[in-house]
Amino acid sequence: MLKIYCPMCREIFQEKDFVLLDFINTITHVSCYTGSYELIHDKGTFRELVEKYTFLQSFCIKDKDYFT
């Protein structure tokens, strides 16, 4: 099972972290993001985005304990 890290701060995303999903499907903490907000596709907590996007589920949902 893979843990997903923020590309800026290198911290593992926690379920309640507020994150942004950009146009190339990169997830970044809101507080770490330095790009143009015009490039943001979606925002929310990490858990919300994992539940919404199937491409993220393939990395996280395999392990039921991902968010523990």
Side-chain angles (χ1 to χ4, degrees):
M1 202 282 301
L2 297 173
K3 296 283 186 180
I4 300 178
Y5 294 81
C6 175
M8 303 301 288
C9 68
R10 306 286 188 225
E11 294 289 325
I12 296 173
F13 289 116
Q14 303 299 314
E15 67 179 301
K16 294 182 181 180
D17 289 352
F18 287 99
V19 297
L20 302 171
L21 179 70
D22 70 12
F23 73 106
I24 57 171
N25 294 336
T26 300
I27 299 175
T28 308
H29 287 114
V30 171
S31 60
C32 295
Y33 188 72
T34 59
S36 170
Y37 284 93
E38 295 173 353
L39 303 176
I40 299 303
H41 180 70
D42 205 350
K43 62 184 176 182
T45 65
F46 181 64
R47 184 178 194 111
E48 290 170 345
L49 294 186
V50 168
E51 291 173 349
K52 185 174 183 178
Y53 294 99
T54 56
F55 69 90
L56 293 173
Q57 292 170 6
S58 64
F59 292 109
C60 302
I61 302 301
K62 290 177 185 175
D63 184 351
K64 295 177 185 174
D65 297 327
Y66 184 87
F67 293 119
T68 59

